[in-house]
Amino acid sequence: MCVSSTEWSNNSSRPLYFSMQKKQRPKISGVQLHRLARRKRSEGKETKVDMEMRNLKLYMENMSILEENEKLRKKASLLHEENIALMFEFQKKFSKFDRVSTKETPHLPTTKLTK
């Protein structure tokens, strides 16, 4: 047997869906309501100021990170250029040694090694 939410509950004279609803809160007086509204507005202002300060701090931190990133990028570029220059000098120096060593030693016949 299927029980729907509109059927009568066993222990009550009201339909089941009425007994499942949330209970209402007691009403608040007008003075209390104004105090709560005023407090929420003032908390909202403080929260807005706090959020603006937090946003400003994060913005400043972000700017310093971007500045540091740019410095590191320039440093990496200079190191890369220096590396290329050193590699060029290294190849130039060893190409002279290769020419000298090939002139001094006669060419030996190369043999293939078999496994």
Side-chain angles (χ1 to χ4, degrees), residues 1-94:
M1 177 176 172
C2 180
V3 177
S4 71
S5 62
T6 58
E7 291 184 25
W8 297 92
S9 66
N10 293 339
N11 58 359
S12 174
S13 62
R14 297 173 22 175
L16 185 61
Y17 70 91
F18 280 122
S19 63
M20 293 177 66
Q21 289 181 344
K22 291 183 181 178
K23 298 192 183 211
Q24 292 182 352
R25 294 185 201 167
K27 290 188 177 184
I28 299 175
S29 71
V31 175
Q32 288 176 328
L33 186 64
H34 285 293
R35 285 181 186 160
L36 283 173
R38 192 174 349 152
R39 188 179 335 153
K40 285 188 178 186
R41 277 195 301 263
S42 68
E43 286 174 0
K45 287 178 185 176
E46 291 172 1
T47 304
K48 185 177 179 183
V49 170
D50 290 340
M51 290 299 286
E52 286 177 0
M53 286 301 294
R54 186 173 182 191
N55 188 26
L56 181 61
K57 286 178 183 178
L58 289 172
Y59 173 78
M60 296 301 290
E61 184 179 350
N62 190 27
M63 293 306 291
S64 67
I65 289 171
L66 288 172
E67 189 177 305
E68 183 69 22
N69 189 17
E70 190 61 32
K71 287 178 186 176
L72 291 172
R73 192 181 311 261
K74 287 178 183 178
K75 191 172 184 179
S77 178
L78 290 173
L79 287 172
H80 181 68
E81 289 176 12
E82 183 182 359
N83 189 22
I84 290 173
L86 289 172
M87 287 297 288
F88 178 73
E89 287 183 28
F90 183 75
Q91 288 173 350
K92 201 165 113 177
K93 185 182 261 186
F94 279 103

Side-chain angles (χ1 to χ4, degrees), residues 94-105:
F94 279 103
S95 66
K96 288 180 183 177
F97 284 128
D98 285 343
R99 286 188 220 138
V100 171
S101 64
T102 55
K103 289 179 183 177
E104 291 178 1
T105 58

